[in-house]
Amino acid sequence: MRLGVVGTGYVGLVAGAGFADFGNEVICADADADKIARLRRGEIPIYEPGLEALVKKNVDKARLRFTATVSEAIAGVEAIFIAVGTPQAADGRADLSAVWSVAEAIGKEATGFTVVVTKSTVPVGTADRIRETIGRHARHDFAVASNPEFLKEGDAVNDFMKPDRVIVGADDERARQLLRRLYAPIVRTNDRLHVMDARSAELTKYAANAMLATRISFMNELANLAEKVGADIEKVRRGIGSDPRIGPKFLFAGTGFGGSCFPKDVKALQHTAREAGAPLGVVEAVDRANDAQKTVLAQKLLRHFGKLQGVRIAVWGISFKPETDDIREAPALALIDRLLEVGAAVNAYDPAAMDGARRRYGDRVGLVSDMYDALYQADALVLVTEWHDFRRPDFGRMKALLARPVVFDGRNIWDPEELRALGYTYYGIGRP
Ligand code: NAD
């Protein structure tokens, strides 16, 4: 199949390379000419395990191409995937301006019947509005479908190639047929392909993210309660996670969820719900709990030190989660911003997100290229993102480097007893 992908970010690049890998001919377009120039030079603009090899293989086989001219990904293709960003607008709703601009271009530039598929996360009803927008300009027949993406950054290639489920939302049988054919290689047992109407597909994506965010906020609030009543959230987590109705995943207390999806999607869903006259009280509470949780580490630091002015804090982990360089809405940023605001000095290290951190902080933060260098003469270490590199560090070496052996384990990855036995003052989340 000849396919176009518009928007070559985390989703568009993974999807484009993934589709090419099944033998399709894919052209990926992006408005960011610099990003496309890098991709053409063989550079991968994001850190995502396995992606570089997948892109290289398919570029070498001439199945995957990149262009900064969006019309090149529209003309002459059987299907166009819209994978542009849908960031949060000032009032909380999803900003769909990039989606409308692509839809308009499709209406004007399509050269024959085309299936237009939305991969971006978009509010319920967007497929209908895309149909109207294209229809205002179209000279050829077209069909619209919603195919929300569920990949996880950090494991995106695996998620794309071996999805738990593929959601296809389309009312037009031609779009359904095309997407069934396209996904056949990865959903060989058909029970993983869920075909439904476009509105249900659009809502499924928001519902999935809101449910996962709910589990996180629930555990974070419970962790705060555990601290007050002398319980250990880690034991509670294991205790409830072994119930198959609950399951063990997404029950980790921490410093709040971040990233480019959960925060904005939780807000956009609330907006949709309020507009529809069916407010989602649970989701609103999830959002509030998360805002509060992002301040928890700074509060713990303040309680320990009394005042933070002039205190030097080492931060390990800046990306919003391990195995990605994505720092959008990362809890580490909320912490570092607060520390700088109150006059603390910050050293920070992340295995992949240093470029993003440098762009944001410049020399306001001591950004170092070795995790241990961050500790030098710091009054405390705060672990914010649980990269593998931080799981079994050399605690003896750390103690020698730190001015004071104080650790704040924002992800509960270390054993409090072990650290206390080594002479550390240990603080976790929701544990004694
Ligand atoms: P991203 O910011 O990494 O990439 C979006 C790309 O679209 C950028 O490269 C940008 O330059 C390009 N773009 C913006 N406007 C354009 C236009 N008019 N024409 C051409 N290109 C344009 O975003 P992302 O993380 O890939 O997310 C894309 C969408 O997928 C969002 O709706 C997001 O919510 C959703 N999503 C993201 C993830 C994830 O883990 N990142 C997972 C599932 C769904």
Side-chain angles (χ1 to χ4, degrees):
M1 254 183 252
R2 279 204 78 196
L3 306 173
V5 177
V6 183
T8 309
Y10 286 85
V11 168
L13 184 55
V14 171
F19 288 142
D21 206 55
F22 319 150
N24 298 295
E25 194 187 322
V26 181
I27 176 148
C28 286
D30 201 285
D32 182 341
D34 190 47
K35 187 178 274 190
I36 293 298
R38 290 179 66 187
L39 284 161
R40 283 184 156 168
R41 287 197 298 270
E43 285 173 36
I44 304 297
I46 53 174
Y47 175 82
E48 190 57 57
L51 186 57
E52 190 168 354
L54 190 71
V55 169
K56 184 174 184 327
K57 173 181 159 196
N58 288 287
V59 167
D60 288 350
K61 290 192 184 286
R63 293 192 296 231
L64 180 61
R65 287 186 298 131
F66 299 102
T67 178
T69 310
V70 170
S71 59
E72 283 183 28
I74 295 175
V77 298
E78 287 171 70
I80 298 163
F81 287 80
I82 303 177
V84 295
T86 51
Q88 189 183 313
D91 61 0
R93 74 176 77 199
D95 174 352
L96 298 181
S97 48
V99 172
W100 306 138
S101 117
V102 177
E104 206 178 302
I106 292 171
K108 290 178 179 160
E109 313 280 351
T111 53
F113 173 74
T114 315
V115 175
V116 179
V117 190
T118 313
K119 262 219 169 291
S120 301
T121 303
V122 293
V124 179
T126 302
D128 295 335
R129 290 185 60 195
I130 289 179
R131 192 177 300 109
E132 285 162 25
T133 308
I134 297 176
R136 278 201 291 277
H137 306 277
R139 286 171 288 125
H140 300 277
D141 196 10
F142 64 95
V144 171
S146 160
N147 171 219
E149 182 52 61
F150 293 92
L151 59 76
K152 298 184 291 295
E153 283 177 27
D155 204 18
V157 172
N158 268 332
D159 283 343
F160 190 82
M161 295 308 216
K162 296 183 205 127
D164 297 326
R165 80 302 213 182
V166 172
I167 303 282
V168 167
D171 307 308
D172 190 309
E173 192 47 38
R174 294 168 299 178
R176 291 179 169 201
Q177 293 275 351
L178 181 136
L179 287 165
R180 272 204 188 94
R181 261 195 297 136
L182 179 63
Y183 279 109
I186 45 176
V187 285
R188 294 178 66 194
T189 47
N190 254 350
D191 55 350
R192 280 185 295 151
L193 186 79
H194 301 275
V195 179
M196 56 184 78
D197 59 281
R199 284 177 180 252
S200 301
E202 288 163 341
L203 187 55
T204 300
K205 173 65 195 177
Y206 282 101
N209 278 359
M211 170 63 94
L212 294 171
T214 300
R215 285 171 75 97
I216 297 174
S217 274
F218 176 80
M219 289 308 286
N220 284 338
E221 284 205 318
L222 215 56
N224 299 335
L225 173 64
E227 267 175 33
K228 294 265 189 249
V229 298
D232 183 342
I233 195 68
E234 287 303 308
K235 293 180 179 143
V236 176
R237 174 176 68 75
R238 288 189 199 99
I240 62 173
S242 51
D243 180 336
R245 292 169 304 176
I246 296 174
K249 293 187 178 164
F250 263 78
L251 290 182
F252 292 88
T255 60
F257 57 78
S260 66
C261 292
F262 285 9
K264 79 168 172 63
D265 292 349
V266 160
K267 288 230 163 38
L269 180 59
Q270 288 173 65
H271 199 278
T272 300
R274 280 196 299 268
E275 274 200 332
L280 296 169
V282 172
V283 179
E284 286 174 15
V286 164
D287 200 13
R288 274 197 308 276
N290 196 55
D291 286 345
Q293 198 66 17
K294 282 187 166 182
T295 68
V296 157
L297 282 172
Q299 283 169 28
K300 284 177 189 280
L301 281 161
L302 189 62
R303 264 199 305 277
H304 177 85
F305 287 103
K307 72 175 182 61
L308 289 167
Q309 197 181 16
V311 172
R312 179 167 290 278
I313 305 296
V315 173
W316 275 2
I318 303 170
S319 59
F320 84 95
K321 67 173 178 180
E323 298 297 331
T324 180
D325 60 353
D326 198 342
I327 61 169
R328 290 177 280 186
E329 301 287 323
L333 303 184
L335 172 68
I336 296 172
D337 289 352
R338 182 74 192 134
L339 290 173
L340 294 178
E341 213 173 276
V342 297
V346 180
N347 302 339
Y349 169 78
D350 187 280
M354 297 309 278
D355 287 346
R358 210 164 285 118
R359 278 195 294 276
R360 183 181 171 101
Y361 292 113
D363 54 11
R364 289 188 298 139
V365 169
L367 295 166
V368 293
S369 53
D370 179 282
M371 62 192 249
Y372 292 102
D373 286 349
L375 307 180
Y376 183 63
Q377 294 197 335
D379 298 296
L381 164 64
V382 187
L383 178 291
V384 188
T385 315
E386 69 281 27
W387 282 88
H388 281 302
D389 312 43
F390 305 143
R391 286 185 181 264
R392 283 303 313 169
D394 182 341
F395 291 116
R397 185 173 167 201
M398 285 161 60
K399 199 168 165 219
L401 288 165
L402 284 162
R404 304 187 224 185
V406 185
V407 294
F408 293 81
D409 175 4
R411 300 287 173 180
N412 291 348
I413 61 171
W414 295 323
D415 177 355
E417 281 178 27
E418 180 187 1
L419 289 213
R420 284 179 189 133
L422 290 169
Y424 281 92
T425 302
Y426 174 93
Y427 297 96
I429 303 284
R431 58 203 316 204

